[in-house]
């Protein structure tokens, strides 16, 4: 990877600071920033009017959502729901879809997920919906599909699961899970927030019914997207104004509409992925956008695996350190979100000493509270988390290791 080219695209990386809390929020592409400003200067009007600027604004936003659909390989633009955050979109989904469920129906959540994909479903217990917990294997720290099979029955309506844990970094086999969920007659709702910055998202390949992620974790603004299979979105009740009917997909799930300038700015992310492809591969006319994305994310995965291997090799050598998750850097099994605890030092003590060196890492539960509780890590003040992305460098990782050596 031409890392200098990559880093030039992110204005914040010019600062004398190393960003390694990227799972909390990545740095923003210059192209995204430019598009936000450009939209506000030239198209900051309400949509749906007859005058020219309003028509132009509508066309630009329609184009942006069509490119988002293309990015995730949705079947049609109407399958793209825009919202303020993944948390809010999943809350909207739970409120709408649960209107069709009856007392005694069941939902399955995991104890590895961020609360965004747990609380909206747990709260349905107030309506008489039963919630079952798919628990992580305490030995392997992975979700076992056989455990899921035992939890599902003819009352199961939906399984909520993360694509990659924002603590463990583990990539879950969503396609395989979806197959079992559908075999049981249920739907699958996937939180892709910790996965989407690192790997290509193909909702058709995964066969997910609903899939969400946040743009501010994928080099963009504070905004989120939810994919839903069109037929499933069509069934949902409207949460918009009374005159917005069930057939108005996705507007019925976007009360108050979506943020125009931020939605438009996501084009900068898609453009960036194309530029990485053009920079690194011979341009072939017969390669479509999906083929280009596959190559781009392959390059990203290889670079990230290299970064993760440097850090994990060091951590694996420290007897007092326990890695919380897969201890190998293999890109098919994990993303470079690396968590650990120290037998002697509490997690906050380590992070606070790193802070002095202008490196941003973090400690805590990262809203995956049930995971931290089930692993009995609350007394350690959660885990130390180093979350890398493709704009990080081997040199940055080695600098962090040098500081760890002073602390440990």
């Amino acid at each position: 990877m031409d890392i200098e080219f990559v880093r030039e695209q992110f204005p914040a990386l010019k600062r004398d600071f190393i960003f390694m809390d990227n799972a909390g929020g990545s740095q923003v592409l210059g192209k995204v920033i430019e598009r936000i400003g450009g939209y506000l200067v030239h198209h900051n009007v309400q949509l749906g009017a007859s005058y020219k600027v309003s028509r132009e604004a509508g066309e630009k936003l329609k184009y942006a959502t069509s490119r988002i659909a293309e990015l995730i390989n949705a079947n049609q633009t109407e399958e793209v729901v825009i919202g303020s955050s993944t948390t809010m979109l999943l809350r909207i989904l739970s409120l709408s879809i649960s209107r069709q469920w009856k007392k005694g129906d069941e939902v399955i959540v995991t104890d590895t997920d961020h609360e965004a994909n747990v609380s909206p479903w747990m709260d349905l217990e107030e309506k008489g919906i039963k919630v079952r917990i798919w628990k992580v294997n305490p030995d392997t720290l992975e979700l076992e599909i056989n455990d899921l099979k035992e939890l599902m029955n003819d009352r199961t309506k939906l399984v909520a699961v993360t694509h990659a844990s924002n603590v463990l970094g583990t990539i879950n086999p969503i396609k395989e899970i979806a197959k079992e969920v559908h075999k049981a007659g249920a739907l699958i709702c996937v939180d892709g927030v910790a996965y989407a910055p690192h790997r290509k998202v193909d909702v058709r390949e995964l066969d997910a019914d609903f899939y969400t992620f946040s743009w501010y974790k994928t080099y963009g603004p504070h905004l989120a997207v939810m994919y839903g299979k069109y037929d499933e979105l069509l069934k949902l009740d409207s949460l918009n104004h009374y005159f917005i009917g069930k057939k108005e997909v996705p507007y019925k799930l976007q009360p108050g509409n979506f943020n125009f300038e931020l939605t438009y700015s996501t084009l900068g992310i898609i453009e960036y992925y194309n530029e990485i492809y053009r920079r690194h591969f011979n341009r072939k006319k017969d390669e479509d956008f999906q083929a280009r994305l596959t190559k781009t994310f392959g390059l990203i995965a290889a670079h990230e695996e290299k970064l993760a291997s440097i850090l994990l090799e060091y951590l694996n050598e420290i007897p007092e350190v326990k890695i919380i998750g897969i201890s190998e850097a293999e890109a098919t099994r994990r993303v470079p979100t690396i968590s650990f605890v120290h037998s002697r030092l509490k997690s906050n003590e380590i992070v606070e000493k790193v802070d002095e060196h202008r490196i941003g890492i973090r400690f805590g539960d990262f809203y995956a509270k049930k995971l931290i509780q089930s692993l009995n890590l609350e007394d350690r003040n959660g885990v130390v988390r180093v979350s890398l992305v493709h704009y990080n460098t081997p040199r940055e990782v080695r600098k962090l290791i040098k500081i760890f050596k002073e602390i440990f």
Side-chain angles (χ1 to χ4, degrees):
M1 177 175 279
D2 184 346
I3 193 65
E4 289 185 11
F5 166 78
V6 166
R7 290 178 67 85
E8 284 171 4
Q9 312 309 310
F10 296 87
L13 300 185
K14 293 179 173 64
R15 295 174 59 188
D16 178 24
F17 192 88
I18 296 174
F19 295 94
M20 291 185 173
D21 182 28
N22 297 294
S26 62
Q27 295 309 300
V28 182
L29 285 157
K31 290 181 180 300
V32 168
I33 297 167
E34 290 168 9
R35 285 184 180 274
I36 292 172
Y39 187 92
L40 289 173
V41 170
H42 301 292
H43 296 96
N44 189 29
V45 296
Q46 185 55 279
L47 303 186
S50 57
Y51 55 85
K52 184 180 179 182
V53 178
S54 179
R55 293 199 310 273
E56 288 176 347
E59 288 166 5
K60 287 184 175 296
L61 290 168
K62 186 176 180 180
Y63 176 67
T65 52
S66 73
R67 292 309 308 274
I68 293 170
E70 193 177 358
L71 175 68
I72 61 176
N73 202 24
N75 284 293
Q76 58 193 87
T77 304
E78 289 78 9
E79 293 179 323
V80 172
V81 185
I82 304 294
S84 59
S85 66
T86 293
T87 299
M88 182 58 75
L89 284 170
L90 289 172
R91 179 67 67 175
I92 286 172
L93 176 62
S94 73
L95 290 171
S96 181
I97 199 169
S98 64
R99 290 182 180 182
Q100 303 165 19
W101 296 345
K102 299 174 183 176
K103 187 176 181 179
D105 285 342
E106 299 184 3
V107 174
I108 296 172
V109 300
T110 83
D111 65 353
T112 65
D113 273 66
H114 185 289
E115 277 296 307
N117 203 22
V118 178
S119 293
W121 309 112
M122 296 289 292
D123 290 350
L124 297 179
E125 287 181 318
E126 297 174 0
K127 297 182 178 181
I129 304 299
K130 184 174 182 178
V131 180
R132 294 179 181 268
I133 311 292
W134 182 9
K135 295 182 179 180
V136 70
N137 183 316
D139 298 319
T140 64
L141 293 183
E142 296 190 54
L143 293 169
E144 307 289 350
I145 291 183
N146 284 335
D147 293 340
L148 173 63
K149 289 180 182 179
E150 291 180 9
L151 291 172
M152 292 190 294
N153 56 54
D154 59 3
R155 300 304 300 268
T156 306
K157 293 296 182 182
L158 182 139
V159 174
V161 62
T162 186
H163 201 162
S165 166
N166 73 328
V167 171
L168 303 171
T170 307
I171 298 173
N172 291 317
I174 295 302
K175 186 176 180 179
E176 189 179 347
I177 295 169
K179 185 178 179 180
E180 294 300 329
V181 170
H182 292 149
K183 197 184 296 182
L187 301 172
I188 182 170
C189 175
V190 183
D191 176 354
V193 170
Y195 180 88
H198 309 285
R199 306 288 184 269
K200 178 186 172 185
V201 173
D202 187 335
V203 292
R204 275 193 267 180
E205 172 68 16
L206 296 170
D207 200 19
D209 299 295
F210 304 100
Y211 193 103
T212 61
F213 65 87
S214 298
W215 295 108
Y216 76 98
K217 308 289 180 78
T218 57
Y219 324 113
H222 278 81
L223 192 73
V225 60
M226 179 174 72
Y227 158 82
K229 289 180 180 175
Y230 182 75
D231 289 345
E232 297 301 331
L233 292 178
L234 201 59
K235 295 175 189 174
L236 299 178
D237 286 352
S238 173
L239 293 183
N240 213 318
H241 303 303
Y242 75 92
F243 48 84
I244 308 299
K246 287 184 71 169
K247 292 183 179 181
E248 296 195 47
V249 178
Y251 188 39
K252 68 180 182 181
L253 300 174
Q254 296 174 160
N257 222 321
F258 54 86
N259 184 296
F260 299 152
E261 63 271 21
L262 300 188
T263 300
Y264 182 68
S265 78
T266 62
L267 285 170
I269 303 169
I270 297 164
E271 192 176 320
Y272 170 64
Y273 292 146
N274 267 325
E275 287 195 355
I276 291 180
Y277 172 81
R278 287 194 292 268
R279 184 82 178 187
H280 294 87
F281 302 101
N282 292 326
R283 298 170 66 177
K284 296 181 181 178
K285 292 182 180 179
D286 60 339
E287 286 198 318
D288 63 13
F289 181 58
Q290 288 300 316
R292 297 197 300 272
L293 272 182
T294 298
K295 286 191 173 181
T296 295
F297 276 100
L299 189 70
I300 287 172
H303 178 72
E304 290 184 342
E305 183 178 292
K306 180 180 178 181
L307 297 176
S309 66
I310 296 170
L311 181 57
L312 287 170
E313 282 173 16
Y314 164 72
L315 293 174
N316 278 315
E317 293 173 355
I318 310 300
E320 297 88 356
V321 166
K322 180 182 179 182
I323 295 167
I324 308 300
I326 297 167
S327 58
E328 292 82 36
E330 190 179 341
T332 57
R333 299 186 66 204
R334 64 137 59 241
V335 297
T337 299
I338 298 166
S339 299
F340 66 90
V341 290
H342 194 280
S343 61
R344 219 172 8 88
L345 301 166
K346 290 194 174 183
S347 296
N348 64 297
E349 294 175 320
I350 295 170
V351 172
E352 286 162 4
K353 289 178 180 178
V354 172
D355 287 345
E356 302 166 8
H357 299 272
R358 297 186 63 77
I359 297 178
I361 63 172
R362 203 163 178 175
F363 71 92
D365 59 39
F366 307 100
Y367 282 33
K369 276 191 172 293
K370 291 177 176 57
L371 177 61
I372 299 303
Q373 290 168 349
S374 66
L375 297 178
N376 297 313
L377 295 176
E378 288 179 293
D379 66 336
R380 310 306 302 160
N381 288 331
V383 297
V384 176
R385 187 180 74 178
V386 180
S387 49
L388 308 170
V389 290
H390 70 284
Y391 56 59
N392 288 121
T393 68
R395 182 179 178 183
E396 288 179 330
V397 177
R398 291 189 183 100
K399 182 174 181 180
L400 176 65
I401 289 171
K402 183 180 178 182
I403 294 162
F404 280 159
K405 286 178 178 178
E406 296 173 4
I407 297 170
F408 300 165

